[in-house]
Amino acid sequence: MTTPERFPDVARVDARDKVRGATLYGSDHHPQNLAHAMLAVAQIGRGQVVTIDVEGARNVPGVRLVLTHLDMAGIKADGYLFGTGHAFQSFQPMLGTAIAYRGQPIALVVADTLEAAIEGTSLVRAEYTTEPFSVTIDAAGAETLAQADLPLPKPMFADRNVGDADAALSSADVTVEAVYVSPPQHQNPIELIATVAEWDDDTLTIHEGTQGVNVVRHGLAAELGVPPEKVRVISPYVGGGFGQKNSLQAQTVLVAVAARQLGRPVKLVVPRAQLFHDASFRPFNRHRIRLGADRSGRIVAAVHETDQQTSRHDLFPSLYADASSRLHGIANFRSRERLVRTDVQTPGFMRAPWEHATAFAFESAVDELAYELGQDPVTLRLANEPTNDPISGKPFSSRYLAECLRRGSAMFGWERRTMAPGSMRDADGTQVGWGVASGAYPASTTPAIARLRVVDDGTISIEVGVQEMGQGARNAVAATVADVLNVSAAQVTTLLGDTAGAPPHLTAGSWGTATAVPAARQAALDMREALRKLGLEDDGRTTPQQILRAAGRPFLEVEARQRAPGQPEMVFERLDQGLLALGGPEYPEYVSFSYIAHFVEVRVEPNTRRVRVPRVVSVADCGRVVSPRTARSQVLGGVVWGIGASLREASEVDPRYGGFLNADLAEYVIPVNADIGDIRVDFVDEPDPLLNNAGVKGLGEVAMVGVAAAVANAVFHATGRRVRALPIRIEDLL
Ligand code: MOS
């Protein structure tokens, strides 16, 4: 089947509603008689609740209910998403006396007003016994585990080992070795984590921003002990997911229980300070990289060893070498990944969860190698492009990283760069640095069901398993249907994010487009065929509405089911149950990744040593671009986040008391408009010929992969300082 031609740039189909404020997010729902909830949280780093006094809270005027672990009979934890469950961690707060980490919820106060609920939480008094805890990976009591020995899905989480990396390293002409560190970070989407729960008899409706309504439905039903059919979860829009909203949250069941006990709808918006402890985060990680090359610049060996923080109660796995082993054509590669148990909530997925940190480490090391060899870093990368996947030996379904590097170089003016660190300066002494890095991200796919309906009143609507979280899923789906049916994207209504519709898989891992678009395209192709049987001509003028009217048919409906290459039909059962069912990046016949190259200019002021990023050029290979406008926005966002991750963001751990210290947007520093200069984005826009019927791969996460390395490499080029721990701060450059 031929893949679609280049898509036109269509305006966001949801833009008008968004700018008018008409788009309703989860916590925008205000059912009649709504009660408001707030959480009281633990003040210790680890231990047990001995007594909890809620009298003061109950006596606040307007407070209607206070829930503690003593009120949760019949509720059970659903389980961790990497096991049999749907939750971001196996540990569900308030089901017992255990305190696993500072900031863990210990009581939910529900009142007529939010103010009364907040006042109530301030009067909850708990007494604890305390236990020693460790919140950093080098602290006494942190437990280091070799991931290869742990009960995690293999081969996904096995160490990578091809050729003989150690032997090739020891005989290499040139070697580099260094350790790179990335700090814990928190997602901080604008839409806070929030739940509105409403019971109607024995049926529960949840409004909550989530990347997976079906995940929440099944997880919550298991926690409550009710049939999943009795739980409806609605999330047509998400105000930023970034992995934080990709699983069942800890507060959802608490709000549902409160609403059931009170016989009133209840809303909880988790405040930002609590979000730092109530949801997953990007864990601390450390990489030791060794590279070996021959004099000509052929990279012959790499060893990638990592330590990543996890919680005491779960194994959030690491997958750092999945991208590093494929980014270049290195024949001898060995990885060893370790997890370190610490006393925190379970960390998890945050945009490019492994690939961002891997690219910072690995692409910094490749830059160090370029300087050891005295070779231009773009030339070095181009000389190490693989023909086949170095790990499996399979071909890549498509790979245009070299084109990204070449086109990016030309757009940036890279040929004017002088190699020596400190060699480019402004008249006032400002040091100018140009850095480059590449990135890769798995092109995974999950099963999807699409239901397309055309009606003789002109309505064209599609229901398909993908969550809109601002990334542009609606645009991509609407553009796909519009392209096949020869209508405008604005005419296509997209029904997403509701368990009452076709069951959606969790939308994460940059698989949304490559999951929903092929299903939507198949449904549209089937619809076109059905219309053709009714007399539709390929004249570009008759509309589906005209065909239906002429044929006397009130409507037509088709359903298409798509799954990842190589997936068995039974994956649809996992889809139904809200469980993970992803295919790729290694498929039976080929390996699929998306790619990007980033070119960054930094300017380091001579006296203050402040680093500015006046311009960036990023060129991505995400297969066919279905929605140019939202795709470009995705890359802009990824670059901005990469600048933040390299120069601003870090969650500061408090080793004395546990928890994270800078739990607000004043102290957790993210870039503002004044930090961002000119960002130019381009796409190779060549369809992947094998992965699916639309030629699409993923984009959301690869957008960010490599930005931090390009910034760090530019800082080295400007100053001669190689900073190997993020974020890069003024004090690193004094
Ligand atoms: Mo995304 S970090 O895979 O939800």
Side-chain angles (χ1 to χ4, degrees), residues 3 397-398 590 592 623-624 686-692 694-697:
T3 50
S397 58
S398 62
Y590 46 77
S592 299
R624 174 59 83 221
E686 285 294 335
D688 185 295
L690 301 174
L691 189 56
N692 53 59
V696 297
K697 302 193 279 188

Side-chain angles (χ1 to χ4, degrees), residues 315-337:
L315 298 168
F316 174 62
S318 83
L319 199 54
Y320 293 105
D322 209 29
S324 59
S325 61
R326 265 82 184 232
L327 197 45
H328 307 291
I330 305 174
N332 302 286
F333 185 98
R334 178 171 74 72
S335 67
R336 189 228 51 208
E337 309 202 22

Side-chain angles (χ1 to χ4, degrees), residues 78-233:
D78 169 56
Y80 186 41
L81 61 93
F82 274 113
T84 52
H86 308 80
F88 90 92
Q89 61 177 355
S90 61
F91 177 79
Q92 171 60 43
M94 288 177 55
L95 296 189
T97 56
I99 301 299
Y101 48 88
R102 189 180 187 82
Q104 174 191 317
I106 57 169
L108 184 80
V109 178
V110 190
D112 294 335
T113 64
L114 179 59
E115 291 73 16
I118 292 170
E119 188 180 346
T121 59
S122 73
L123 298 171
V124 172
R125 297 279 177 268
E127 281 176 32
Y128 309 94
T129 55
T130 59
E131 294 160 20
F133 58 85
S134 322
V135 285
T136 59
I137 72 166
D138 297 316
E143 187 191 358
T144 301
L145 307 163
Q147 178 163 280
D149 302 337
L150 298 172
L152 285 161
K154 304 283 164 52
M156 190 175 185
F157 298 111
D159 290 339
R160 308 294 190 251
N161 198 348
V162 291
D164 188 340
D166 298 283
L169 255 186
S170 62
S171 62
D173 297 336
V174 180
T175 57
V176 294
E177 169 171 358
V179 173
Y180 304 86
V181 173
S182 292
Q185 298 178 333
H186 284 75
Q187 288 95 335
N188 282 293
I190 291 175
E191 184 196 19
L192 293 164
I193 289 176
T195 302
V196 178
E198 184 173 18
W199 290 87
D200 178 9
D201 196 8
D202 62 348
T203 303
L204 173 62
T205 302
I206 297 286
H207 289 276
E208 172 174 325
T210 174
Q211 296 170 234
V213 287
N214 206 33
V215 176
V216 174
R217 163 189 251 181
H218 283 270
L220 183 57
E223 290 176 322
L224 293 166
V226 303
E229 305 76 56
K230 295 289 182 187
V231 179
R232 180 175 176 196
V233 182

Side-chain angles (χ1 to χ4, degrees), residues 211 242-243 246 349-353 441 508-509 701:
Q211 296 170 234
F242 313 124
N246 74 6
F349 305 91
M350 176 162 151
R351 197 177 195 175
Y441 192 91
E701 296 177 80

